[in-house]
Amino acid sequence: MNIYAKLTLLCVSLVFFTSSVLYFFVNRELERTFSEELLSNVTRQSEQTISNIERFVYSRLNELKIASTDPYFRQSNIPQADLTRKLQELESLNDLYASFSFFNNERVRVADSKQLSVGETHSLSTYWTKISPTTDAVVDVDKSESTDLNVMNFATVVKDPETREPKGVLVGSILVDELYKFMGDISLGENARQLSVTLLDEGGIILYTQDESKTVLQDKFSDFDLIQKTKKTSARVERIETDDQFLFVAKEQGYLNNVGNDWTLVVSIGKEEALLPLAEIQQKLLWVILLALGASIILALIVANIFVRPIVKLSKIAEDLGNGNLSAEIKITSNDEVGKLASQLSNASQVLIRRLDEQKKLNDKLENQKNEMVAQKQLLEQANRQVSDSIVYAQRIQRSILPEITVLSKLVKDAFVFYEPKDVVSGDFYWFERVRQGRNEYLIIACADCTGHGVPGAIMSIMGSNQLTNIVYYQNYIDPNKILARLDKVIKFELKRDENQNQDGLEIGICIINLDDLKMEFAGAGIPLYLIKKGTNELITYKSPKFMIGGIEGDEKEVAGKLNKEEMQLEEGDKIYLSSDGFQDQFGGEHDKKFLSKNFKKLIEDISDKPMSEQIKDLESAFRSWKKNTPQTDDVVVIGVEV
């Protein structure tokens, strides 16, 4: 290690050690002072707040006692209208009260300032359970039976001035939220960090809270078990510390001759929020230390630089060498570290000169190889264009063998075909044609999903379409089971299934509709039939066995026996649907999952009452909305027909 590094490291180490020690002791004292001030501040505010609540309750009860001496309430047979007017006067004299009510001794509401629930009997609950011969003025917090609002009910017994017998009960109701006005500004520091205030009854039920996630008069305070332990102490305010917050528990002790209601005030604040100013001060202190440390390091560098001027000179020579001037003269000849470094740089420059000559020869060779790669790239691009052109041409051929939808539309009331290949060409295809056998005329509709997609799938689809045409037209097959059995036999023959073990084939569903009497036969292998009867939107599913045409074991007769044939009588207006599994298997949506068969059936039910021209638009919209930017999973074909 040279002298420059030693001097710099020594200065930096001394400054760093001094700064660290200073920061440690100052920060520890700061934390202690701040914590004491925080606890004292919140304790003082908690004590003041519970005292304000006690004075508030005491004042309201006195108001009710004074109001109960009014002759209107002490006399008998006072008209209800006069009582109502008197209650309204009491309400207008004090904006705090939401309403006043007067009850007789049977808890019947005789009059109300809001004229609500007059004549109804109040339930034997809340303040009625607290009034007794020895307790004629009580306060209670509950949901009002007349307004369904959370209120503080101040109730006092109205007595006959001579006999001292009860004449009724006067009740003044104040919204619980009015308590906020009498609690004062409960916050911390200049930034007004608000403290959360919660008022609990003797059982821990929340009477008032600023926490919107809690329900007043229903929820119980979560840490009430901890608060119960503080009742054994004599202190007015107790502090409880949990994992994430400070709780300051202020207990009601009564005010003057009011013994209180055994309420508890809980003032809470999260530890992170409470200590936020401390964190800000600590951050400022840290910045001061860092700035002092940075300034000291700069000073150390300046001092050390005085001793390393030879290194600066050597650095200039190294810069020239780095810029390509390998013949730059190195004049430093001292025997210290700088001299040794100068000698090494001189030797290195000579080695670099030789290596550059070698590199130039290698670059020439690489340039030749690059030219060869460019030529090969051009050949690959040309081959790729030829392949792409061939696939596009194959698409035109494939689409030319697919029947026109207009042919189907002429034979039925309405129809659509939703056809969406995964690649340019598709492994799914649809087929339909009108045929005559004897005096009967039939419409044959087929929907097929070949193994694979792209070019291999397209080859299979062309083979399947051509074989269907041959079987129906030239071999006069009109039974769906026999058509599928013959198609299975032909594909086995074409693919030489006996000579190799390939798994190619197709799933297919085929419907044969007698256009004279609308009787329909359906058979399938892997593709079901969906039917919606006229006047309903309930989807009926006719499943087909999970076979692959071209891979079913057995001869043609045995294959026909394994397939199921469904027969049904259609009516004008019935709708039938055939679909490959491409729509259901498409990934997408919010969680990138499959669309699934149940959602596809629900979609068909939802759009079935619309014209076919709108149904295909809804299918396309639903498919693209689900897929969005997700790559298409498989080829898609959906056929819909209204007979």
Side-chain angles (χ1 to χ4, degrees):
M1 181 181 294
N2 59 34
I3 190 64
Y4 177 79
K6 290 179 180 179
L7 285 174
T8 303
L9 183 60
L10 177 61
C11 294
V12 170
S13 299
L14 290 173
V15 172
F16 184 81
F17 175 78
T18 304
S19 301
S20 299
V21 173
L22 180 62
Y23 177 80
F24 172 79
F25 286 104
V26 172
N27 184 63
R28 188 173 67 174
E29 184 64 18
L30 181 64
E31 288 182 355
R32 185 187 64 80
T33 304
F34 182 86
S35 298
E36 291 177 354
E37 179 62 23
L38 171 69
L39 298 178
S40 175
N41 187 3
V42 180
T43 299
R44 183 176 62 255
Q45 292 191 71
S46 301
E47 186 172 0
Q48 180 64 37
T49 301
I50 193 65
S51 296
N52 288 344
I53 293 175
E54 289 177 323
R55 286 194 295 271
F56 170 78
V57 171
Y58 176 81
S59 298
R60 302 291 81 74
L61 289 176
N62 274 349
E63 288 174 355
L64 262 292
K65 289 179 180 179
I66 295 172
S68 68
T69 61
D70 193 290
Y72 272 88
F73 303 120
R74 292 185 169 189
Q75 296 178 17
S76 302
N77 301 321
I78 298 296
Q80 179 187 334
D82 292 342
L83 284 174
T84 301
R85 186 167 51 256
K86 191 62 180 178
L87 293 175
Q88 290 173 345
E89 290 176 3
L90 287 176
E91 182 181 336
S92 64
L93 291 174
N94 196 327
D95 294 335
L96 279 174
Y97 290 92
S99 66
F100 281 88
S101 300
F102 181 73
F103 296 83
N104 63 19
N105 292 329
E106 286 73 38
R107 304 192 314 280
V108 176
R109 194 186 304 264
V110 177
D112 184 89
S113 63
K114 292 289 191 296
Q115 300 186 28
L116 298 175
S117 303
V118 176
E120 294 183 9
T121 301
H122 200 284
S123 62
L124 184 57
S125 60
T126 62
Y127 47 87
W128 291 101
T129 63
K130 299 180 180 180
I131 294 175
S132 67
T134 58
T135 307
D136 56 2
V138 297
V139 61
D140 172 82
V141 179
D142 203 344
K143 187 179 291 284
S144 171
E145 292 189 359
S146 59
T147 63
D148 202 35
L149 297 175
N150 295 328
V151 297
M152 298 181 67
N153 294 309
F154 296 86
T156 185
V157 177
V158 179
K159 298 181 180 180
D160 187 282
E162 296 178 0
T163 65
R164 305 304 296 170
E165 291 295 323
K167 303 289 290 183
V169 175
L170 178 64
V171 180
S173 299
I174 299 176
L175 295 178
V176 171
D177 290 340
E178 292 290 335
L179 276 174
Y180 179 79
K181 298 178 181 179
F182 298 89
M183 291 185 181
D185 185 17
I186 307 176
S187 62
L188 284 178
E190 299 177 354
N191 296 326
R193 289 170 293 138
Q194 294 296 320
L195 297 167
S196 177
V197 179
T198 304
L199 185 64
L200 313 176
D201 68 10
E202 66 274 15
I205 301 299
I206 297 175
L207 302 179
Y208 170 85
T209 182
Q210 297 169 334
D211 187 353
E212 297 180 355
S213 65
K214 302 298 183 182
T215 303
V216 175
L217 301 179
Q218 294 184 20
D219 291 345
K220 186 174 182 179
F221 195 76
S222 57
D223 293 319
F224 185 66
D225 291 337
L226 293 176
I227 293 174
Q228 284 288 84
K229 298 177 182 179
T230 65
K231 291 188 175 182
K232 299 177 182 179
T233 64
S234 59
R236 182 72 182 271
V237 179
E238 288 287 343
R239 179 174 63 87
I240 300 175
E241 182 176 347
T242 65
D243 293 338
D244 57 351
Q245 62 180 341
F246 295 113
L247 302 177
F248 295 84
V249 182
K251 292 166 284 189
E252 187 183 22
Q253 296 181 349
Y255 181 75
L256 297 181
N257 61 345
N258 182 25
V259 296
N261 298 278
D262 198 21
W263 289 350
T264 303
L265 180 74
V266 181
V267 179
S268 61
I269 185 171
K271 289 183 178 180
E272 183 177 353
E273 183 179 5
L275 300 177
L276 181 61
L278 176 61
E280 293 174 353
I281 296 173
Q282 289 173 328
Q283 186 177 26
K284 292 178 181 179
L285 176 62
L286 181 61
W287 276 112
V288 171
I289 296 296
L290 290 176
L291 289 174
L293 182 61
S296 300
I297 292 174
I298 293 173
L299 180 61
L301 293 174
I302 293 173
V303 173
N305 186 58
I306 298 175
F307 300 94
V308 293
R309 288 180 180 176
I311 296 178
V312 175
K313 184 177 181 181
L314 184 60
S315 176
K316 184 65 175 70
I317 296 172
E319 184 179 354
D320 291 339
L321 294 176
N323 291 332
N325 183 16
L326 299 179
S327 60
E329 184 178 0
I330 301 176
K331 297 181 179 180
I332 300 176
T333 58
S334 60
N335 294 325
D336 57 11
E337 292 88 351
V338 177
K340 293 178 181 179
L341 181 59
S343 176
Q344 292 173 354
L345 283 175
S346 178
N347 295 335
S349 65
Q350 298 302 316
V351 173
L352 282 174
I353 291 173
R354 292 194 299 271
R355 293 287 177 83
L356 286 174
D357 290 338
E358 296 173 358
Q359 186 66 40
K360 185 176 182 304
K361 295 177 182 179
L362 180 61
N363 288 343
D364 293 339
K365 183 178 180 181
L366 290 174
E367 184 66 24
N368 294 333
Q369 293 176 348
K370 175 186 175 183
N371 294 334
E372 293 178 3
M373 292 176 65
V374 170
Q376 292 175 355
K377 178 175 178 291
Q378 292 173 347
L379 292 174
L380 288 174
E381 290 175 346
Q382 182 180 0
N384 183 61
R385 284 194 298 272
Q386 292 174 349
V387 172
S388 298
D389 292 343
S390 299
I391 294 176
V392 172
Y393 188 70
Q395 180 192 38
R396 292 200 296 270
I397 295 174
Q398 185 184 39
R399 287 189 177 273
S400 68
I401 70 170
L402 295 174
E404 294 290 338
I405 187 63
T406 54
V407 175
L408 183 59
S409 299
K410 292 178 181 178
L411 302 176
V412 295
K413 187 175 181 180
D414 202 356
F416 73 81
V417 175
F418 176 40
Y419 181 67
E420 189 77 11
K422 177 182 183 296
D423 301 312
V424 179
V425 290
S426 173
D428 290 2
F429 72 91
Y430 55 92
W431 187 95
F432 43 80
E433 193 55 78
R434 175 184 186 182
V435 297
R436 181 178 294 278
Q437 192 175 75
R439 295 183 177 182
N440 295 321
E441 193 172 23
Y442 299 91
L443 171 62
I444 303 178
I445 305 171
C447 174
D449 182 357
C450 301
T451 54
H453 42 74
V455 174
I459 294 174
M460 282 295 301
S461 71
I462 293 173
M463 179 193 300
S465 179
N466 288 338
Q467 292 301 335
L468 271 178
T469 302
N470 180 55
I471 293 169
V472 173
Y473 266 102
Y474 301 108
Q475 300 180 32
N476 295 320
Y477 277 69
I478 204 69
D479 183 280
N481 270 19
K482 293 181 179 180
I483 292 174
L484 295 183
R486 175 52 62 93
L487 182 62
D488 178 78
K489 178 181 178 181
V490 173
I491 290 179
K492 287 177 182 175
F493 176 79
E494 293 288 345
L495 298 179
K496 297 181 176 57
R497 184 59 66 92
D498 295 335
E499 299 178 11
N500 56 68
Q501 298 299 318
N502 68 70
Q503 301 298 316
D504 295 323
L506 57 91
E507 295 178 338
I508 187 171
I510 185 166
C511 297
I512 299 179
I513 304 173
N514 189 324
L515 296 177
D516 296 318
D517 57 10
L518 295 184
K519 289 183 178 180
M520 185 176 78
E521 296 180 341
F522 165 76
I527 290 184
L529 167 69
Y530 303 123
L531 170 65
I532 294 183
K533 299 296 290 182
K534 179 182 178 181
T536 71
N537 60 354
E538 180 180 357
L539 187 141
I540 305 171
T541 303
Y542 295 91
K543 297 182 179 180
S544 61
K546 289 293 183 179
F547 290 136
M548 180 72 70
I549 297 298
I552 305 176
E553 296 294 333
D555 56 22
E556 185 175 352
K557 184 177 180 180
E558 291 173 336
V559 170
K562 292 180 178 180
L563 299 172
N564 299 330
K565 180 170 70 174
E566 301 282 354
E567 298 180 359
M568 60 208 75
Q569 178 64 54
L570 299 180
E571 299 177 359
E572 184 177 349
D574 289 352
K575 301 181 181 68
I576 60 174
Y577 300 88
L578 294 170
S579 171
S580 66
D581 59 6
F583 201 118
Q584 299 95 302
D585 290 346
Q586 178 60 46
F587 282 88
E590 183 178 352
H591 303 292
D592 194 26
K593 294 183 178 180
K594 287 185 178 181
F595 192 80
L596 299 179
S597 175
K598 64 177 182 179
N599 295 324
F600 178 72
K601 293 178 182 180
K602 180 66 168 56
L603 176 61
I604 293 296
E605 288 179 341
D606 292 342
I607 66 175
S608 62
D609 58 346
K610 298 181 180 180
M612 291 296 180
S613 59
E614 295 186 19
Q615 290 189 34
I616 188 173
K617 292 180 181 178
D618 290 344
L619 283 172
E620 292 173 349
S621 175
F623 184 75
R624 284 164 175 71
S625 176
W626 179 262
K627 181 170 73 75
K628 291 186 179 178
N629 298 325
T630 304
Q632 187 167 333
T633 306
D634 197 1
D635 302 315
V636 177
V637 63
V638 182
I639 303 173
V641 175
E642 181 179 1
V643 298

